Amino acid sequence: MKISDIKIFVTCPGRNFVTVKVITDNGLFGLGDATLNGREMAVVAYLQEHVAPCLIGKDAHAIEDIWQYLYKGVYWRKGAVNMAAIAGIDMALWDIKGKVAGLPVYQLLGGKSRKSVGLYAHASGDDIADTLLKAEALMAQGFKAIRLQSAVPGLKVTYGVLGDKENYYELQGNRPLPPEEDWSTPKYFNMVVELFKQAREKLGNDVQLLHDVHSRLTPIESARLGKLLEPYNLLFLEDASIAENQDSYKTIRQHTTTPLAIGETYNTIWDCKDLIQNQLIDYIRTAATHAGGITSLKRIADFAGIYNVKTAPHGAPDLSPICFAAHMHLNAWAPNFGIQEFVGFGTQEAQQIFTHDIQVKDGAAFVSDKPGLGVDFNEDAAALYPYKRSYLPVSRLEDGTLWNW
Ligand code: EZ4
Ligand code: CO
């Protein structure tokens, strides 16, 4: 079974998605997600010009060899663009292998370790009261774990809070440039500790609470935040600090028992190797789309399991349902699965393009039993929504200094 063609689609049903379709000479195809938010067309060009021509004629069953060929074989290795491209191909090849076997991908990974996959939803409000009302609504829908984000008083915009926007990362007009947002660590501290204090008073102790700092704090500030949040028993504190220096998490770890999660921007196992083997984190959040696909995430999950680190894959709206499906198969299998982030399946338009039978009930999701990944891609519907340039925001301190967004 040889790869006979590779097609790349970019569609924007509310936001951009890059979809890879690998076609075989026996008439099968597989789908993969290669979306890199704000840099989509770099991955498209990379796939079309540099990856696809090398793979035509190769054995579509040789997933591991193709992964190594696109990683070691390019000499340059790693990198967000390269790893998103590998991810798109890798997911598509697992999809094909499942279709050939007549088995869902989780069976190829080793079978199910659990009946359902626990999810956490997002409650994001314009103030603390608004955030907690939204959390109560999610609890009423059956969600047992909720990420709380709330606007920081005194800042124009806050990460994770929609404000007057309709969607996350709403497209920015006809001539988009990265929007600029402001940041103040002291103002944030005043809000965030109060948010979790009031959350426990209002929501009780049974619901699991989470929070995404989005890398705005230095390690010692994260240590202080972890300590201040200890009484409110978070499931995890996400992306407290950037960990380009993986050792820097020792500072946070030494000071707090608040569980720590990181990894959504990581591209390889090497980015989290020290964090995992030194047991500096509790949850690894790498996404199949950004870290080289199912092959990479399986390897990271097994490595993490040795050190009591659980998986908690990224589930943002900029990952397509194909990525979510790939995560679902990994989550069903991984013995050390923790929790899956979940923000729905996108706009109505997106749901007409990406169709699947993943069920969500009482805060848990049920993996598809269809052969392969279990997602279909409607090419005609996708063509109705062409690519639109769009950027993630950049962040600046109040004096203008560029900061981590
Ligand atoms: O900002 O995926 O946990 N979720 C996140 C996301 C990221 C986006 C960036 O493209 O941090 O909302
Ligand atoms: Co995050």
Side-chain angles (χ1 to χ4, degrees):
M1 184 179 62
K2 290 190 172 14
I3 297 174
S4 56
D5 197 6
I6 296 176
K7 291 190 171 140
I8 317 299
F9 302 88
V10 194
T11 180
C12 187
R15 56 149 306 95
N16 292 307
F17 294 113
V18 178
T19 302
V20 179
K21 181 175 184 179
V22 177
I23 300 163
T24 60
D25 60 1
N26 59 350
L28 289 175
F29 68 88
L31 298 169
D33 179 29
T35 308
L36 184 61
N37 197 355
R39 295 293 185 272
E40 295 88 353
M41 299 312 277
V43 185
V44 172
Y46 188 87
L47 278 162
Q48 280 173 341
E49 183 61 26
H50 304 295
V51 172
C54 309
L55 300 187
I56 307 300
K58 284 199 182 295
D59 177 8
H61 270 310
I63 299 177
E64 185 67 47
D65 185 67
I66 288 175
W67 194 100
Q68 300 292 341
Y69 181 84
L70 294 175
Y71 183 78
K72 289 181 187 157
V74 299
Y75 184 62
W76 305 108
R77 305 191 184 211
K78 303 187 189 178
V81 173
N82 182 33
M83 298 311 290
I86 294 179
I89 299 289
D90 183 83
M91 282 182 220
L93 294 177
W94 280 98
D95 194 19
I96 290 169
K97 197 183 279 297
K99 287 174 179 172
V100 171
L103 293 170
V105 167
Y106 70 79
Q107 294 291 18
L108 308 180
L109 297 172
K112 272 190 196 176
S113 300
R114 57 192 53 77
K115 289 182 225 141
S116 65
V117 165
L119 304 171
Y120 72 92
H122 288 191
S124 308
D126 294 330
D127 56 34
I128 292 176
D130 185 30
T131 300
L132 299 184
L133 277 176
K134 287 177 173 155
E136 283 180 320
L138 290 166
M139 288 165 71
Q141 288 173 41
F143 285 99
K144 293 162 185 68
I146 303 173
R147 186 187 93 160
L148 303 180
Q149 309 290 136
S150 198
V152 176
L155 297 185
K156 287 193 283 294
V157 204
T158 305
Y159 162 78
V161 178
L162 293 183
D164 57 4
K165 296 188 300 244
E166 282 178 25
N167 299 311
Y168 278 97
Y169 323 121
E170 197 171 86
L171 297 171
Q172 306 113 20
N174 296 324
R175 264 188 67 251
L177 292 172
E180 302 222 345
E181 298 181 355
D182 51 353
W183 178 254
S184 157
T185 296
K187 287 177 180 161
Y188 166 71
F189 262 87
N190 291 339
M191 181 284 292
V192 72
V193 179
E194 188 60 25
L195 169 65
F196 281 89
K197 179 169 173 280
Q198 290 187 29
R200 280 300 173 208
E201 284 164 8
K202 189 142 197 233
L203 307 178
N205 290 325
D206 290 339
V207 63
Q208 305 269 24
L209 299 179
L210 307 90
H211 179 67
D212 190 349
V213 183
H214 226 258
S215 309
R216 302 295 164 83
L217 301 179
T218 65
I220 196 66
E221 290 165 349
S222 293
R224 177 162 166 261
L225 180 60
K227 226 172 174 172
L228 290 170
L229 293 180
E230 271 172 31
Y232 314 116
N233 188 24
L234 270 63
L235 182 73
F236 63 62
L237 186 65
E238 173 187 340
D239 283 349
S241 297
I242 289 283
E244 280 160 339
N245 299 313
Q246 295 182 41
D247 257 11
S248 68
Y249 263 57
K250 282 185 188 155
T251 305
I252 311 174
R253 202 61 157 172
Q254 278 160 5
H255 290 286
T256 181
T257 58
T258 293
L260 303 172
I262 197 168
E264 68 184 41
T265 64
Y266 292 172
N267 308 130
T268 70
I269 197 167
W270 308 106
D271 297 332
C272 50
K273 177 181 77 76
D274 299 348
L275 288 164
I276 291 172
Q277 71 183 4
N278 296 322
Q279 301 186 54
L280 300 178
I281 56 170
D282 301 280
Y283 293 86
I284 181 68
R285 289 183 34 75
T286 36
T289 299
H290 298 135
I294 293 171
T295 300
S296 309
L297 254 65
K298 185 180 194 310
R299 198 161 283 138
I300 290 173
D302 273 335
F303 178 65
I306 299 171
Y307 299 100
N308 290 315
V309 175
K310 293 182 185 174
T311 61
H314 193 201
D318 50 318
L319 297 157
S320 93
I322 300 171
C323 176
F324 192 82
H327 288 169
M328 283 299 297
H329 290 279
L330 287 152
N331 297 339
W333 153 75
N336 53 327
F337 167 70
I339 197 160
Q340 170 67 55
E341 184 178 26
F342 178 66
V343 293
F345 294 112
T347 58
Q348 289 301 319
E349 294 86 346
Q351 293 182 43
Q352 279 156 18
I353 296 170
F354 300 97
T355 54
H356 55 80
D357 65 353
I358 299 169
Q359 302 294 318
V360 173
K361 198 170 167 261
D362 286 338
F366 295 83
V367 67
S368 174
D369 285 315
K370 286 187 185 165
L373 292 174
V375 183
D376 279 322
F377 179 70
N378 183 331
E379 293 176 31
D380 294 334
L384 299 175
Y385 308 102
Y387 166 74
K388 288 188 189 155
R389 180 154 52 96
S390 180
Y391 291 98
L392 285 167
V394 298
S395 185
R396 289 185 188 277
L397 302 182
E398 289 169 300
D399 70 358
T401 308
L402 200 96
W403 200 241
N404 308 321
W405 179 74

